Amino acid sequence: RTWADAAGTARKGPSVSLSVNQHLEQVGHTWYLVKCTLLNNKENAEMLEWESPRRLVQLRGELHDRIKFSMDSEYSSVFGATPFAQTGGPSGTTNRLCNWLGSLAAAINNRKVSPAVAALTLSFFHTPLPSQLERA
C-alpha cells in the first residue's frame, strides 16, 4: 500500500522524531535509549514523548532488517548516507543509530517509506496512546 491508498489522509499528517542520546550497560548488555516524539500537526494537538530502551540486536533484527527487506532497492536512496550501526556495537554505534533513526523519521514524515514501515516503526517503539484515548 502507498500513502495515496490511505483514504482520507491529509497531506501533512503527524510527524515523528527518533534519536539516541545515550546508552547504558545493564546485566552485560548495552541498551540504547531511543527518544521518541509523535506530534499531531493539528491545532491544540497533544505531543507524545516517550523513551524506548532497545538493544542493538533488537534494532537490527526487528526494525532495520525488516525495513531493508521491505524497501528492497529503494533502501539505499533513503538510508545510503546514514548506514546502520555495525554488528558488535563498536565505538560510534550510538551516533550511527541516531543518524539512521533520524533518516527513518525524516523518511516517514516525508512519506518516502510505505505506511507499513511507519506502522512497524511506531509499533516497534511501543507508541503510547494519547491521553484522551486513555480516558475513553
Side-chain angles (χ1 to χ4, degrees):
R1 294 193 51 156
T2 66
W3 291 104
D5 295 334
T9 304
R11 179 66 185 125
K12 184 63 177 163
S15 60
V16 64
S17 171
L18 303 167
S19 64
V20 179
N21 297 324
Q22 64 177 332
H23 65 273
L24 53 95
E25 303 291 329
Q26 282 193 336
V27 194
H29 297 289
T30 303
W31 291 84
Y32 297 91
L33 303 180
V34 181
K35 181 181 178 187
C36 310
T37 305
L38 183 63
L39 175 62
N40 188 337
N41 290 312
K42 296 179 181 176
E43 190 173 323
N44 298 323
E46 178 181 4
M47 179 171 68
L48 298 175
E49 290 183 290
W50 70 103
E51 202 167 66
S52 187
R54 295 289 183 270
R55 291 184 51 213
L56 183 57
V57 68
Q58 294 172 304
L59 289 158
R60 179 182 308 285
E62 298 171 31
L63 186 65
H64 169 267
D65 291 353
R66 292 177 68 188
I67 290 171
K68 188 172 183 177
F69 179 79
S70 73
M71 291 181 71
D72 197 26
S73 62
E74 297 171 8
Y75 178 86
S76 61
S77 68
V78 174
F79 296 101
T82 53
F84 193 75
Q86 296 173 337
T87 304
S91 180
T93 296
T94 302
N95 191 44
R96 275 186 171 226
L97 285 174
C98 189
N99 292 337
W100 187 85
L101 288 168
S103 291
L104 174 57
I108 292 169
N109 296 338
N110 295 316
R111 299 182 179 195
K112 302 289 185 194
V113 295
S114 69
V117 167
L120 168 66
T121 302
L122 294 174
S123 175
F124 176 77
F125 289 117
H126 297 181
T127 306
L129 288 174
S131 60
Q132 70 266 22
L133 292 179
E134 289 176 350
R135 291 188 295 261

